[in-house]
Every structure is written in C-alpha cells, then in structure tokens.
C-alpha cells in the first residue's frame, strides 16, 4: 500500500499535521517524518512503477529506477541531516516549509510523467520561499519575492513545454527527449519546441549562466537552517531532470563549463561567505552539467555521484556558516575571523566540508568529481579537461581556503561566542561522517550509480592521488604567496553587481524611462489637441459673436440680394 | 538577525594568540614540505603511472605539470577577481538606496 504512494508524500502530508505538535515538538516531528519517509523508500522494490488514469490520460506518478533512486536517497539523507540541524528552531512554519519542500523534491525525482513533475516542481518553489521569508527582514521578503517569481516562471515554462510536447508527440512521459542512450550525443537544434521550453525551465532551476543569479540573491537571505534545506534540493532536482531528459546534448558541455568558471571569479571578491557558498554551488553544478553533456556511462555516473557527495558537503558548509550566522549574527568576512578559538568543532567540520569540495583524497569530492574530469579525458576533449582543472583550482580558492580561512582564522575579529548548539553540531557531524565515509568506502556509492560501467572506475591510483595533491597543495601555496605579498584582494564591505542588476536596477529604470516617455507623449498629444480645439472654438466665437460674419445683424437689402441669388441658382439647377 | 551570543564569555580572557596563530610559520613550512613531497612522489611512482592511470594527454606526462598548473590557475583566478572588482564593485547599500 505504502509503495503505491509517491515517495516523499509522507513528508508533504505529515508536514500539514506538524502544527498539532506545537512549537516545542514540531522540529522532532519533522525529523520523525524524514526518517519514516526514508524507511518507506528504502523498502521500495527496484524499477517500481505506479500509474494513475486522470482525465483519460495515464499518468506515471511513481517511477523508481536507478537514476531516481540515488537522487531520492540523497534527498532523504539531506532532509534528515537538515532536520537534526534545525531541531532547536521553534518556528513551526519553517519545519512545515522544509518538509513540504523536501518531500515534493523527492516526489519530483520519482515522477514518471511531466504533469506530476510539474506539480512537484511548483510545490518545491512555493514551499521553499517560506524558508527565505522566515528571516523576517524587508531584504529577505524582497529577495523571496524575486526567487518565487523566477521559480514560478520556470514552472510555467515546464508546463508550456509539456503541453507543446504532448501536442506534438501525444506523450506526457518524462524520458529522454531525443531518445538517446548513454554514449550517444545530440544537439539542442534536434529538439522540438516543447523540449526546448522544458530545457529552459530546467536551465533556470539549474542556474545556467545568465539565468543563475536567483541562487546568489536568495540563498544568503534564508534562515541559518533554511539555507541548508535550500542548498540541497532545487538545483539538484534540475540536475536530475537534465540527466533524465537531455543527457548527451553537446551544448550542455559548454554551458556547464561556463558555469564552473565564472562563479569562481565572483567568489574571490564576495564578502558574504554564504553568498560565496552560493557561487561555489553554482560552480559545482557546472561539473554536473558537463557530465550530463558528455553523456557517457562514466560521465553520467560521475554526475550522479557528484550530486550525491555535493549535496552532503555543501550542506555541511552551509551548516557551518549557519552556525556562525546564529552565533555572530553575520557571515560577512570583514566582520569575522579568529572564530576557531570559540567554535572549534564548527571549525573542524567546516574544514572537512572544505576539503571534500576541494577534492582532497580520502574525502568525498575526490571520488566523484574525478569521474567527470576523467570522462572528459576519455573523450580526448583537451580544452574542456584543461578548463575543468582551472575550475578545480578555483574551487580550492573559494571553498577550500576562503570559507574556513576568513571565518575561523585570518585576523582575529575579537568576537568570542558560544559554540553552536548540540543539534547543529550533530547535523554537521552526520554530514562530515558521510564526507569521510564516502571518500574512503567509495565502492558503496559506486554500486548505487545508475549505469553499469564496462570498466570499473578506480579513483585511488598513485598517479591520480599525487596529481590531485599537486594541484591542490600548489594552489594553497599560491594563496600563501598572494597573502604574504598583499596581492590577495582584501575583503571589503561592498555589493558586487551580477545579472540580478538587470531586473533590480536596469528594468525598473527602463520602466521609469518608458513611463516618463509615455507621459511626455501623452501630455504632448493632449496639449496639441487642446490647442487645436481652442483654435476651432476661437474661430467659431469670432464668426458668431456680435461682429462676426455669421453672428452680426445683416441689412434687408443684402438679405434680399442673397435670396435672389439663391433662387436664381435653384432655377438654373431645375432647368439643367 | 537575532543572535544568541548575549551570554558569551567576555572578550578579554581569550585574547592571547591561539596555538595555531603562534605557529603559522610552521604550517606554511609544512605546506612547502608537502608540496615538495608530491613532486618527489611523482618521481618515485612515475613507472606506475602509465600502467595504472592511462594519461589522456601528453601534457600530463610533463614533470610537475599539475603543480605548476594549480599555482598559475589559482593566481590567475585571483587576478581576474581584481579585474572583475573594478567593474562590479558598488557600495554595500547599492540596492537599498
């Protein structure tokens, strides 16, 4: 019975009952829901499918195969970890939002048709915005509104694309839009209009270049615990959907490559460390999109493995910054420093997360990211391979060094705060445990990957370990060199413009200018018309006033003369 | 944002440098030694490279390639940051004003 319901539905329905537990126990209720949902999901049979007929169309509301299974599993792990991390929060709204959000994301990646996907897609958007609004500031309210508008646009594009696709093909099934299998490649030009609209919807949610800035705008404005939820689901749901529908699309390789590169430069100069993490998230998504674009078994497995590891270490990094935000009240690098003295455990967990994202051996990033880079190498794509190496050095910069260094070390800010609450530390411990466990016991993850590989991928070869250590350690040496020579850009309080400038400044300005122009034109037309009308009235007035031609008193002889003329004309007309 | 550091210990009793701050040079020396160790390891394990880790590109075979690449790429990213900052940096309250 339980398996005929979409996975995650326990969390969505159960969330609505959380208010019954009161402020004190709703957090525990949320944790219990996540665990119960995982227990139900764990016993789901392989290749499980549930169909439902609605309005004469068969909807595939549950489709659990290997690709959806690994994503749904890591979503559950993220939901449980984030729930533990949020146990101290007394705001029931946040727990409801978190559970509905996580549950709908899980249901979305187990959806076999595009209508179910659309419903879950929109539910993730509507529920997650409350995690931003819960901060309770004007800034977070505005940021949440922008987030919601962009997410809903993505949903509308998805629905429009699904309708067009259904019209063209008669199918609502959510599968590969070109029917490609791993190893085959295609192009965006081969897609129909419906599939192109769906790709755009996924691109918005997946933070493609130029469509990305909702991510850096909204995530730093979430609550300390809410951002941990946010970091896990939305963008990775997009990655899952891209892997399902568009694997092997050549254009995705270069889109992904751009995504790995431009955020690292923004991250260098960003002061808010949660915003640095949002750029870093964008950069990590880039690796996954490259893997999807390459479209081989190795690269797609790499994408799934990297998404799995990334969700956990990124949650860990956001958790460490959330703890700093809770205790210090800010995550601005200019205000922080020296926190290792008062938050030693948070420091250690943050360093483990930073080491994982940078890809140090024995930590999770090493065994997943390398699969994607190796897949690029196997395809002999030299430029791509080189650019991914640059991006790897960039990851070392913004997440490997900058986050832990400026928060916990650097110049001592003099702030002495309490260590994070026990539940936050436990949440970080669970995530850190997974980072290390996945790095060491990598076969456990590899056997969950969606595709069977002809040649088993072995991450721990002397060459790979030594090469990776060279890259990372010499990058760290470069940091020391730049700091010692004062060439590293100092942290300053500033706002750095990104594409959100277009809709936060340029569009309002253009609308203002447009409004002013319309006003001027309108005023001009009114003035002209009034002037014309005034002229006509004046003329009539002059004609009909006492001295006017038509208004004055005429003599009898003149009247008789004109009457005679008129009668004469009538006579002539009568004859001819 | 409400903070929970009201009951935090006073600032004075913990103001002396920590063990880590007193040994920064030791950490830097450790890093330099680790860097050198990776280069030495590359020399030692080189015969195993071709069999266990098939190189996809010739450039990978150059001694210390990833070391130089890591250093240069890191410096390049930071310098690009300087350049980007010239174009995109605004006052902190830019969007609020």
């Amino acid at each position: 019975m339980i398996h005929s319901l979409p996975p995650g539905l326990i969390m969505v329905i159960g969330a609505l009952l959380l208010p019954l537990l009161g402020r004190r126990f709703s957090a525990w209720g949320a944790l219990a829901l996540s665990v119960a949902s995982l227990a139900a999901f764990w016993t789901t049979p392989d290749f499980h499918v549930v169909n439902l007929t609605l309005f004469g169309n068969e909807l595939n509301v549950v489709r659990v195969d290997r690709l959806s299974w690994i994503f749904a599993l890591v979503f559950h792990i993220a939901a449980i970890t984030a729930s533990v991390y949020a146990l101290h929060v007394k705001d029931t709204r946040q727990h409801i939002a978190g559970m509905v959000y996580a549950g709908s994301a899980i249901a979305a990646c187990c959806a076999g048709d595009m209508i179910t996907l659309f419903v879950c897609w929109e539910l993730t958007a509507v529920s997650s915005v409350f995690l931003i609004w819960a901060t309770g500031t004007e800034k977070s309210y505005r940021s949440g509104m922008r987030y919601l508008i962009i997410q809903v646009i993505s949903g509308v594009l998805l629905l429009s694309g699904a309708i067009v696709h259904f019209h063209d093909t008669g199918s609502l099934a959510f599968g590969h839009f070109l029917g490609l299998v791993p190893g085959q490649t295609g192009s965006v030009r081969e897609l129909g209009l419906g599939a192109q609209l769906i790709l755009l919807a996924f691109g918005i949610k997946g933070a493609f270049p130029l469509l990305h800035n909702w991510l850096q705008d909204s995530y730093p404005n979430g609550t300390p615990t809410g951002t941990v939820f946010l970091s896990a689901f939305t963008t990775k749901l997009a990655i899952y959907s891209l892997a399902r529908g568009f694997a092997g699309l050549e254009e995705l390789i270069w889109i992904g490559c751009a995504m790995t590169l431009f955020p690292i430069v923004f991250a260098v100069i960003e002061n808010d460390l949660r915003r640095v993490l949002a750029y870093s998230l964008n950069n990590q998504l880039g690796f996954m999109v490259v893997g999807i674009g390459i479209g081989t078994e190795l690269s797609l497995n790499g994408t799934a493995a990297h998404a799995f590891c990334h969700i956990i270490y990124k949650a860990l990094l956001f958790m460490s910054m959330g703890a700093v935000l809770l205790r210090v009240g800010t995550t601005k690098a200019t205000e922080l420093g020296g926190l290792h003295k008062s938050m030693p455990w948070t420091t250690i967990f943050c360093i483990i997360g930073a080491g994982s994202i940078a890809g140090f051996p024995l930590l999770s990033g090493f065994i997943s990211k390398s699969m994607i880079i190796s897949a690029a190498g196997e395809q002999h794509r030299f430029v791509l391979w080189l650019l991914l190496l640059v991006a790897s050095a960039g990851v070392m910069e913004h997440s490997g060094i900058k986050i832990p260094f400026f928060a916990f070390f650097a110049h001592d800010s003099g702030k002495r705060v309490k260590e994070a609450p026990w539940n936050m530390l436990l949440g970080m411990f669970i995530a850190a445990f997974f980072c290390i466990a996945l790095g060491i016991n990598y076969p456990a993850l590899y056997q969950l990957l969606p595709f069977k590989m002809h040649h088993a991928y072995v991450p721990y070869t002397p060459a790979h370990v030594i090469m990776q250590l060279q890259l990372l350690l010499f990058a760290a040496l470069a940091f020391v060199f730049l700091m010692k020579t004062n060439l590293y850009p100092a942290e300053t309080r500033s706002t750095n413009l990104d594409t959100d400038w277009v809709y936060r400044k340029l569009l309002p300005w253009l609308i203002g200018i447009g409004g002013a122009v319309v006003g001027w034109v309108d005023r001009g037309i009114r003035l002209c018309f009034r002037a014309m009308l005034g002229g006509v009235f004046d003329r009539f007035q002059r004609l009909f006033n006492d001295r006017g031609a038509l208004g004055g008193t005429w003599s009898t002889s003149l009247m008789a003369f004109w009457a005679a003329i008129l009668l004469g004309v009538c006579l002539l007309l009568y004859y001819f | 944002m409400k903070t929970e550091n009201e009951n935090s210990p006073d600032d004075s009793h913990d103001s002396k440098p920590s063990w880590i701050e007193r040994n920064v040079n030791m950490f830097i020396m450790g890093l330099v030694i680790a860097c050198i160790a990776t280069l030495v390891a590359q020399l030692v394990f080189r015969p195993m490279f071709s069999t266990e880790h098939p190189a996809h590109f010739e450039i990978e075979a150059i001694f210390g390639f990833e070391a130089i690449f890591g250093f240069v790429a890191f410096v390049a990213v930071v310098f690009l940051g300087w350049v980007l900052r010239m174009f995109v940096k605004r006052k902190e309250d830019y969007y609020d004003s």
Side-chain angles (χ1 to χ4, degrees), chain A residues 487-572:
Chain A
L487 288 171
Y488 194 87
E491 301 308 303
T492 54
R493 297 174 69 108
S494 63
T495 293
N496 297 316
L497 304 185
D498 200 337
T499 53
D500 62 345
W501 178 81
V502 173
Y503 52 81
R504 293 176 73 179
K505 281 284 179 185
L506 182 65
L507 267 183
W509 183 76
L510 284 178
I511 290 169
I513 292 282
V517 168
V518 168
W520 292 332
V521 170
D522 177 64
R523 207 161 50 230
I525 291 172
R526 279 164 193 268
L527 282 173
C528 283
F529 192 71
R530 275 172 61 184
M532 276 168 59
L533 215 58
V536 170
F537 278 132
D538 278 355
R539 197 169 175 78
F540 270 101
Q541 211 173 12
R542 277 202 302 274
L543 271 173
F544 287 96
N545 67 11
D546 294 350
R547 282 171 291 172
L550 297 173
T553 312
W554 289 7
S555 63
T556 315
S557 56
L558 193 64
M559 280 294 291
F561 170 75
W562 280 112
I565 294 281
L566 199 66
L567 288 170
V569 169
C570 287
L571 199 64
L572 284 171

Side-chain angles (χ1 to χ4, degrees), chain A residues 371-409:
Chain A
M371 292 174 85
I372 298 169
I373 298 176
S374 291
E378 275 192 2
Q379 297 259 307
H380 301 288
R381 293 175 182 271
F382 179 65
V383 176
L384 176 66
W385 178 81
L386 219 52
L387 291 175
L388 292 181
L389 281 190
V390 174
S392 299
V395 176
M396 181 63 185
E397 196 287 321
H398 60 67
S399 293
I401 295 174
K402 180 168 178 166
I403 294 288
F405 181 77
F406 285 104
F408 299 105
F409 303 100

Side-chain angles (χ1 to χ4, degrees), chain A residues 460-481:
Chain A
Y460 288 104
T461 61
H464 186 206
V465 172
I466 291 166
M467 293 301 200
Q468 182 74 358
L469 282 175
Q470 272 187 9
L471 184 81
L472 298 178
L473 292 176
F474 275 85
L477 197 64
F479 177 73
V480 173
F481 165 73

Side-chain angles (χ1 to χ4, degrees), chain B residues 15-62:
Chain B
S15 56
K16 62 178 188 292
S18 67
W19 178 79
I20 294 172
E21 286 167 327
R22 278 182 273 120
N23 292 287
V24 171
N25 287 335
M26 192 186 78
F27 281 99
I28 295 173
M29 275 309 293
L31 177 64
V32 172
I33 291 167
C35 287
I36 295 167
T38 59
L39 292 173
V40 173
Q42 189 179 4
L43 281 178
V44 173
F45 288 98
R46 214 168 186 180
M48 295 167 70
F49 276 25
S50 55
T51 52
E52 290 198 9
H53 180 88
H56 301 115
F57 308 106
E58 284 177 14
I59 201 167
E60 281 185 273
I62 298 171

Side-chain angles (χ1 to χ4, degrees), chain A residues 80-94:
Chain A
I80 292 171
T81 314
S83 298
V84 170
Y85 182 76
L87 276 177
H88 67 285
V89 176
K90 298 284 186 283
D91 181 2
T92 310
R93 287 174 312 166
Q94 286 192 54

